[in-house]
Short mmCIF file of all heavy atoms in Angstrom, two decimals:
data_model
loop_
_atom_site.label_atom_id
_atom_site.label_comp_id
_atom_site.label_asym_id
_atom_site.label_seq_id
_atom_site.Cartn_x
_atom_site.Cartn_y
_atom_site.Cartn_z
N ALA N 1283 2.29 32.11 -16.31
CA ALA N 1283 1.89 32.00 -17.73
C ALA N 1283 2.78 32.87 -18.60
O ALA N 1283 3.23 32.44 -19.69
CB ALA N 1283 0.42 32.43 -17.86
N ASN N 1284 3.05 34.04 -18.10
CA ASN N 1284 3.90 34.97 -18.83
C ASN N 1284 5.30 34.38 -18.99
O ASN N 1284 5.88 34.41 -20.08
CB ASN N 1284 3.96 36.30 -18.01
CG ASN N 1284 4.57 37.39 -18.82
OD1 ASN N 1284 4.35 37.46 -20.04
ND2 ASN N 1284 5.34 38.23 -18.14
N HIS N 1285 5.80 33.78 -17.93
CA HIS N 1285 7.14 33.17 -17.94
C HIS N 1285 7.22 32.05 -19.00
O HIS N 1285 8.24 31.91 -19.67
CB HIS N 1285 7.46 32.66 -16.54
CG HIS N 1285 8.71 31.86 -16.46
ND1 HIS N 1285 9.95 32.32 -16.85
CD2 HIS N 1285 8.92 30.58 -16.02
CE1 HIS N 1285 10.84 31.39 -16.67
NE2 HIS N 1285 10.27 30.31 -16.17
N HIS N 1286 6.14 31.30 -19.13
CA HIS N 1286 6.15 30.16 -20.07
C HIS N 1286 5.56 30.51 -21.43
O HIS N 1286 5.40 29.65 -22.29
CB HIS N 1286 5.41 28.97 -19.48
CG HIS N 1286 6.18 28.27 -18.42
ND1 HIS N 1286 7.14 27.32 -18.68
CD2 HIS N 1286 6.14 28.40 -17.06
CE1 HIS N 1286 7.67 26.90 -17.52
NE2 HIS N 1286 7.07 27.53 -16.54
N ASP N 1287 5.16 31.77 -21.56
CA ASP N 1287 4.53 32.23 -22.80
C ASP N 1287 3.28 31.41 -23.15
O ASP N 1287 3.10 30.92 -24.28
CB ASP N 1287 5.58 32.13 -23.94
CG ASP N 1287 5.22 33.03 -25.09
OD1 ASP N 1287 4.34 33.90 -24.91
OD2 ASP N 1287 5.79 32.87 -26.19
N LEU N 1288 2.45 31.24 -22.12
CA LEU N 1288 1.18 30.49 -22.28
C LEU N 1288 0.06 31.32 -21.68
O LEU N 1288 0.31 32.21 -20.86
CB LEU N 1288 1.29 29.16 -21.51
CG LEU N 1288 2.17 28.06 -22.12
CD1 LEU N 1288 2.43 26.98 -21.09
CD2 LEU N 1288 1.54 27.49 -23.38
N PRO N 1289 -1.20 31.03 -22.02
CA PRO N 1289 -2.30 31.75 -21.37
C PRO N 1289 -2.46 31.28 -19.90
O PRO N 1289 -2.16 30.12 -19.60
CB PRO N 1289 -3.53 31.37 -22.20
CG PRO N 1289 -3.16 30.11 -22.88
CD PRO N 1289 -1.65 30.09 -23.04
N PRO N 1290 -2.96 32.15 -19.03
CA PRO N 1290 -3.16 31.75 -17.62
C PRO N 1290 -4.04 30.53 -17.48
O PRO N 1290 -3.90 29.74 -16.53
CB PRO N 1290 -3.81 32.98 -16.98
CG PRO N 1290 -3.48 34.11 -17.88
CD PRO N 1290 -3.31 33.57 -19.25
N GLU N 1291 -4.94 30.32 -18.43
CA GLU N 1291 -5.84 29.15 -18.37
C GLU N 1291 -5.08 27.84 -18.58
O GLU N 1291 -5.64 26.75 -18.41
CB GLU N 1291 -6.92 29.22 -19.46
CG GLU N 1291 -7.87 30.39 -19.34
CD GLU N 1291 -7.23 31.72 -19.79
OE1 GLU N 1291 -6.35 31.69 -20.66
OE2 GLU N 1291 -7.63 32.79 -19.26
N ALA N 1292 -3.80 27.94 -18.97
CA ALA N 1292 -3.01 26.72 -19.18
C ALA N 1292 -2.13 26.39 -17.97
O ALA N 1292 -1.24 25.56 -18.05
CB ALA N 1292 -2.13 26.90 -20.43
N VAL N 1293 -2.39 27.11 -16.85
CA VAL N 1293 -1.55 26.94 -15.65
C VAL N 1293 -2.45 26.56 -14.47
O VAL N 1293 -3.53 27.12 -14.30
CB VAL N 1293 -0.82 28.28 -15.32
CG1 VAL N 1293 0.09 28.08 -14.09
CG2 VAL N 1293 -0.04 28.80 -16.50
N LEU N 1294 -1.94 25.63 -13.65
CA LEU N 1294 -2.64 25.31 -12.39
C LEU N 1294 -1.58 25.17 -11.31
O LEU N 1294 -0.57 24.50 -11.48
CB LEU N 1294 -3.40 23.97 -12.53
CG LEU N 1294 -4.33 23.63 -11.36
CD1 LEU N 1294 -5.48 24.62 -11.22
CD2 LEU N 1294 -4.89 22.22 -11.55
N VAL N 1295 -1.81 25.88 -10.20
CA VAL N 1295 -0.82 25.89 -9.12
C VAL N 1295 -1.23 24.87 -8.07
O VAL N 1295 -2.41 24.65 -7.80
CB VAL N 1295 -0.73 27.30 -8.50
CG1 VAL N 1295 0.35 27.37 -7.42
CG2 VAL N 1295 -0.39 28.33 -9.58
N GLY N 1296 -0.22 24.23 -7.45
CA GLY N 1296 -0.51 23.21 -6.42
C GLY N 1296 0.36 23.39 -5.18
O GLY N 1296 1.35 24.11 -5.21
N ASN N 1297 -0.03 22.67 -4.15
CA ASN N 1297 0.70 22.69 -2.87
C ASN N 1297 1.91 21.77 -2.98
O ASN N 1297 1.99 20.72 -2.36
CB ASN N 1297 -0.27 22.23 -1.76
CG ASN N 1297 0.38 22.31 -0.41
OD1 ASN N 1297 1.32 23.04 -0.18
ND2 ASN N 1297 -0.15 21.50 0.51
N GLY N 1298 2.85 22.17 -3.82
CA GLY N 1298 3.99 21.31 -4.21
C GLY N 1298 3.60 20.47 -5.41
O GLY N 1298 2.40 20.29 -5.70
N THR N 1299 4.61 19.95 -6.11
CA THR N 1299 4.33 19.12 -7.28
C THR N 1299 3.68 17.81 -6.89
O THR N 1299 2.89 17.24 -7.65
CB THR N 1299 5.63 18.87 -8.05
OG1 THR N 1299 6.35 20.10 -8.11
CG2 THR N 1299 5.41 18.37 -9.45
N ALA N 1300 4.07 17.32 -5.71
CA ALA N 1300 3.52 16.03 -5.26
C ALA N 1300 1.98 16.13 -5.19
O ALA N 1300 1.26 15.19 -5.57
CB ALA N 1300 4.09 15.68 -3.90
N ASP N 1301 1.49 17.26 -4.74
CA ASP N 1301 0.05 17.50 -4.65
C ASP N 1301 -0.61 17.37 -6.04
O ASP N 1301 -1.67 16.76 -6.22
CB ASP N 1301 -0.14 18.91 -4.09
CG ASP N 1301 -1.59 19.36 -4.02
OD1 ASP N 1301 -2.41 18.61 -3.53
OD2 ASP N 1301 -1.87 20.49 -4.47
N LEU N 1302 0.08 17.89 -7.05
CA LEU N 1302 -0.46 17.85 -8.42
C LEU N 1302 -0.42 16.45 -9.00
O LEU N 1302 -1.30 16.05 -9.76
CB LEU N 1302 0.30 18.84 -9.29
CG LEU N 1302 0.11 20.31 -8.91
CD1 LEU N 1302 1.10 21.22 -9.62
CD2 LEU N 1302 -1.33 20.78 -9.18
N ILE N 1303 0.64 15.69 -8.61
CA ILE N 1303 0.73 14.29 -9.09
C ILE N 1303 -0.50 13.51 -8.56
O ILE N 1303 -1.16 12.79 -9.34
CB ILE N 1303 2.05 13.64 -8.61
CG1 ILE N 1303 3.24 14.31 -9.29
CG2 ILE N 1303 2.04 12.14 -8.84
CD1 ILE N 1303 4.61 13.97 -8.72
N TRP N 1304 -0.79 13.70 -7.32
CA TRP N 1304 -1.95 12.99 -6.72
C TRP N 1304 -3.25 13.49 -7.35
O TRP N 1304 -4.18 12.73 -7.54
CB TRP N 1304 -1.94 13.14 -5.19
CG TRP N 1304 -0.95 12.21 -4.56
CD1 TRP N 1304 0.38 12.14 -4.83
CD2 TRP N 1304 -1.24 11.18 -3.60
NE1 TRP N 1304 0.96 11.13 -4.07
CE2 TRP N 1304 0.00 10.53 -3.33
CE3 TRP N 1304 -2.37 10.74 -2.93
CZ2 TRP N 1304 0.12 9.47 -2.38
CZ3 TRP N 1304 -2.26 9.69 -2.02
CH2 TRP N 1304 -1.03 9.06 -1.77
N LEU N 1305 -3.30 14.78 -7.64
CA LEU N 1305 -4.48 15.36 -8.27
C LEU N 1305 -4.72 14.71 -9.66
O LEU N 1305 -5.85 14.32 -10.00
CB LEU N 1305 -4.35 16.88 -8.40
CG LEU N 1305 -5.53 17.64 -8.95
CD1 LEU N 1305 -6.66 17.72 -7.90
CD2 LEU N 1305 -5.14 19.05 -9.37
N ILE N 1306 -3.67 14.61 -10.42
CA ILE N 1306 -3.76 14.03 -11.76
C ILE N 1306 -4.25 12.56 -11.65
O ILE N 1306 -5.12 12.12 -12.40
CB ILE N 1306 -2.36 14.08 -12.48
CG1 ILE N 1306 -2.02 15.54 -12.76
CG2 ILE N 1306 -2.34 13.22 -13.73
CD1 ILE N 1306 -0.54 15.74 -13.12
N CYS N 1307 -3.68 11.84 -10.69
CA CYS N 1307 -4.08 10.45 -10.51
C CYS N 1307 -5.56 10.36 -10.10
O CYS N 1307 -6.32 9.54 -10.62
CB CYS N 1307 -3.19 9.75 -9.46
SG CYS N 1307 -1.52 9.59 -10.01
N HIS N 1308 -5.93 11.26 -9.18
CA HIS N 1308 -7.30 11.27 -8.70
C HIS N 1308 -8.26 11.48 -9.87
O HIS N 1308 -9.31 10.83 -9.96
CB HIS N 1308 -7.42 12.39 -7.67
CG HIS N 1308 -8.77 12.63 -7.14
ND1 HIS N 1308 -9.52 11.64 -6.54
CD2 HIS N 1308 -9.55 13.74 -7.11
CE1 HIS N 1308 -10.67 12.13 -6.17
NE2 HIS N 1308 -10.74 13.40 -6.53
N ARG N 1309 -7.87 12.35 -10.80
CA ARG N 1309 -8.76 12.69 -11.90
C ARG N 1309 -8.75 11.65 -13.02
O ARG N 1309 -9.79 11.39 -13.63
CB ARG N 1309 -8.40 14.07 -12.47
CG ARG N 1309 -9.24 14.53 -13.66
CD ARG N 1309 -10.70 14.70 -13.27
NE ARG N 1309 -11.56 15.03 -14.42
CZ ARG N 1309 -12.02 14.15 -15.29
NH1 ARG N 1309 -11.72 12.87 -15.18
NH2 ARG N 1309 -12.80 14.56 -16.28
N TYR N 1310 -7.58 11.05 -13.27
CA TYR N 1310 -7.48 10.25 -14.50
C TYR N 1310 -7.11 8.77 -14.33
O TYR N 1310 -7.22 8.00 -15.28
CB TYR N 1310 -6.41 10.84 -15.44
CG TYR N 1310 -6.75 12.24 -15.92
CD1 TYR N 1310 -5.93 13.30 -15.64
CD2 TYR N 1310 -7.91 12.47 -16.68
CE1 TYR N 1310 -6.23 14.61 -16.09
CE2 TYR N 1310 -8.21 13.75 -17.11
CZ TYR N 1310 -7.39 14.80 -16.81
OH TYR N 1310 -7.69 16.05 -17.25
N ALA N 1311 -6.64 8.36 -13.11
CA ALA N 1311 -6.05 7.03 -13.05
C ALA N 1311 -7.03 5.89 -12.70
O ALA N 1311 -6.74 4.73 -13.00
CB ALA N 1311 -4.90 7.03 -12.05
N ALA N 1312 -8.17 6.23 -12.09
CA ALA N 1312 -9.05 5.17 -11.56
C ALA N 1312 -9.38 4.12 -12.64
O ALA N 1312 -9.86 4.49 -13.74
CB ALA N 1312 -10.34 5.79 -11.00
N ASN N 1313 -9.15 2.87 -12.30
CA ASN N 1313 -9.46 1.72 -13.18
C ASN N 1313 -8.77 1.76 -14.53
O ASN N 1313 -9.21 1.12 -15.47
CB ASN N 1313 -10.98 1.64 -13.42
CG ASN N 1313 -11.72 1.44 -12.13
OD1 ASN N 1313 -11.31 0.66 -11.29
ND2 ASN N 1313 -12.82 2.20 -11.96
N ARG N 1314 -7.68 2.54 -14.62
CA ARG N 1314 -7.01 2.65 -15.92
C ARG N 1314 -5.56 2.16 -15.84
O ARG N 1314 -4.96 2.19 -14.78
CB ARG N 1314 -7.06 4.09 -16.39
CG ARG N 1314 -8.47 4.46 -16.84
CD ARG N 1314 -8.54 5.89 -17.25
NE ARG N 1314 -9.83 6.11 -17.89
CZ ARG N 1314 -10.49 7.27 -17.78
NH1 ARG N 1314 -9.99 8.25 -17.09
NH2 ARG N 1314 -11.66 7.41 -18.40
N GLN N 1315 -5.06 1.78 -17.00
CA GLN N 1315 -3.65 1.42 -17.11
C GLN N 1315 -2.80 2.67 -17.13
O GLN N 1315 -3.07 3.58 -17.92
CB GLN N 1315 -3.37 0.68 -18.44
CG GLN N 1315 -3.91 -0.72 -18.49
CD GLN N 1315 -3.31 -1.64 -17.42
OE1 GLN N 1315 -2.18 -1.42 -16.99
NE2 GLN N 1315 -4.07 -2.63 -17.00
N VAL N 1316 -1.84 2.72 -16.26
CA VAL N 1316 -0.96 3.89 -16.21
C VAL N 1316 0.49 3.41 -16.34
O VAL N 1316 0.97 2.60 -15.54
CB VAL N 1316 -1.13 4.66 -14.88
CG1 VAL N 1316 -0.22 5.90 -14.85
CG2 VAL N 1316 -2.60 5.07 -14.68
N ALA N 1317 1.18 3.89 -17.36
CA ALA N 1317 2.58 3.51 -17.55
C ALA N 1317 3.49 4.48 -16.84
O ALA N 1317 3.29 5.70 -16.90
CB ALA N 1317 2.90 3.50 -19.05
N ILE N 1318 4.47 3.94 -16.14
CA ILE N 1318 5.44 4.77 -15.42
C ILE N 1318 6.84 4.36 -15.85
O ILE N 1318 7.22 3.18 -15.70
CB ILE N 1318 5.28 4.57 -13.89
CG1 ILE N 1318 3.88 5.02 -13.46
CG2 ILE N 1318 6.35 5.35 -13.13
CD1 ILE N 1318 3.50 4.66 -12.05
N LEU N 1319 7.57 5.28 -16.42
CA LEU N 1319 8.92 4.96 -16.89
C LEU N 1319 9.90 5.01 -15.74
O LEU N 1319 10.03 6.03 -15.08
CB LEU N 1319 9.34 5.90 -18.01
CG LEU N 1319 8.67 5.53 -19.35
CD1 LEU N 1319 7.39 6.29 -19.56
CD2 LEU N 1319 9.59 5.75 -20.53
N GLY N 1320 10.54 3.85 -15.46
CA GLY N 1320 11.36 3.76 -14.26
C GLY N 1320 12.71 3.12 -14.53
O GLY N 1320 12.96 2.67 -15.65
N PRO N 1321 13.61 3.13 -13.54
CA PRO N 1321 13.38 3.45 -12.14
C PRO N 1321 13.12 4.95 -11.95
O PRO N 1321 13.80 5.77 -12.58
CB PRO N 1321 14.68 3.04 -11.45
CG PRO N 1321 15.73 3.11 -12.52
CD PRO N 1321 15.04 2.74 -13.80
N THR N 1322 12.19 5.27 -11.04
CA THR N 1322 11.85 6.69 -10.88
C THR N 1322 11.17 7.00 -9.54
O THR N 1322 11.00 6.12 -8.69
CB THR N 1322 10.97 7.14 -12.07
OG1 THR N 1322 10.94 8.56 -12.11
CG2 THR N 1322 9.54 6.62 -11.97
N PHE N 1323 10.77 8.24 -9.42
CA PHE N 1323 10.10 8.79 -8.22
C PHE N 1323 8.87 7.98 -7.86
O PHE N 1323 8.05 7.68 -8.74
CB PHE N 1323 9.72 10.23 -8.59
CG PHE N 1323 9.20 11.08 -7.47
CD1 PHE N 1323 9.82 11.12 -6.25
CD2 PHE N 1323 8.05 11.88 -7.67
CE1 PHE N 1323 9.35 11.94 -5.23
CE2 PHE N 1323 7.57 12.70 -6.66
CZ PHE N 1323 8.21 12.71 -5.45
N SER N 1324 8.72 7.64 -6.58
CA SER N 1324 7.68 6.68 -6.19
C SER N 1324 6.27 7.28 -6.13
O SER N 1324 5.30 6.50 -6.09
CB SER N 1324 8.03 6.11 -4.82
OG SER N 1324 8.14 7.18 -3.88
N GLU N 1325 6.16 8.60 -6.11
CA GLU N 1325 4.81 9.18 -5.94
C GLU N 1325 3.87 8.88 -7.09
O GLU N 1325 2.66 8.88 -6.92
CB GLU N 1325 4.90 10.71 -5.77
CG GLU N 1325 5.44 11.15 -4.43
CD GLU N 1325 4.70 10.60 -3.22
OE1 GLU N 1325 3.49 10.61 -3.22
OE2 GLU N 1325 5.38 10.13 -2.31
N TYR N 1326 4.45 8.62 -8.28
CA TYR N 1326 3.53 8.32 -9.42
C TYR N 1326 2.79 7.02 -9.15
O TYR N 1326 1.54 6.98 -9.23
CB TYR N 1326 4.32 8.18 -10.74
CG TYR N 1326 5.34 9.28 -11.01
CD1 TYR N 1326 6.63 8.97 -11.41
CD2 TYR N 1326 5.00 10.61 -10.87
CE1 TYR N 1326 7.57 9.95 -11.64
CE2 TYR N 1326 5.94 11.61 -11.10
CZ TYR N 1326 7.22 11.27 -11.48
OH TYR N 1326 8.14 12.25 -11.71
N ALA N 1327 3.54 5.98 -8.78
CA ALA N 1327 2.89 4.68 -8.53
C ALA N 1327 1.97 4.78 -7.31
O ALA N 1327 0.85 4.22 -7.33
CB ALA N 1327 3.93 3.60 -8.32
N ASP N 1328 2.43 5.47 -6.29
CA ASP N 1328 1.58 5.62 -5.08
C ASP N 1328 0.26 6.31 -5.41
O ASP N 1328 -0.81 5.88 -4.99
CB ASP N 1328 2.33 6.43 -4.01
CG ASP N 1328 3.42 5.62 -3.34
OD1 ASP N 1328 3.55 4.44 -3.66
OD2 ASP N 1328 4.13 6.19 -2.50
N GLY N 1329 0.37 7.40 -6.18
CA GLY N 1329 -0.82 8.16 -6.54
C GLY N 1329 -1.79 7.31 -7.37
O GLY N 1329 -3.00 7.33 -7.18
N VAL N 1330 -1.22 6.53 -8.32
CA VAL N 1330 -2.07 5.68 -9.18
C VAL N 1330 -2.80 4.65 -8.34
O VAL N 1330 -4.03 4.44 -8.46
CB VAL N 1330 -1.19 5.01 -10.26
CG1 VAL N 1330 -2.01 3.95 -11.04
CG2 VAL N 1330 -0.63 6.05 -11.22
N VAL N 1331 -2.06 3.99 -7.45
CA VAL N 1331 -2.68 2.92 -6.64
C VAL N 1331 -3.75 3.52 -5.73
O VAL N 1331 -4.87 2.98 -5.59
CB VAL N 1331 -1.59 2.18 -5.80
CG1 VAL N 1331 -2.24 1.19 -4.82
CG2 VAL N 1331 -0.66 1.43 -6.74
N MET N 1332 -3.45 4.66 -5.12
CA MET N 1332 -4.41 5.30 -4.22
C MET N 1332 -5.70 5.68 -4.97
O MET N 1332 -6.77 5.73 -4.40
CB MET N 1332 -3.84 6.55 -3.57
CG MET N 1332 -2.87 6.26 -2.44
SD MET N 1332 -3.60 5.24 -1.17
CE MET N 1332 -4.44 6.43 -0.19
#
Side-chain angles (χ1 to χ4, degrees):
N1284 193 36
H1285 172 57
H1286 286 277
D1287 202 14
L1288 287 166
E1291 297 76 29
V1293 182
L1294 188 65
V1295 182
N1297 183 24
T1299 315
D1301 176 49
L1302 295 168
I1303 292 169
W1304 281 58
L1305 184 73
I1306 292 164
C1307 293
H1308 175 56
R1309 178 64 184 81
Y1310 297 119
N1313 300 316
R1314 286 178 171 146
Q1315 287 299 332
V1316 181
I1318 298 170
L1319 283 93
T1322 196
F1323 188 46
S1324 59
E1325 288 304 314
Y1326 313 131
D1328 285 356
V1330 171
V1331 173
M1332 283 306 276

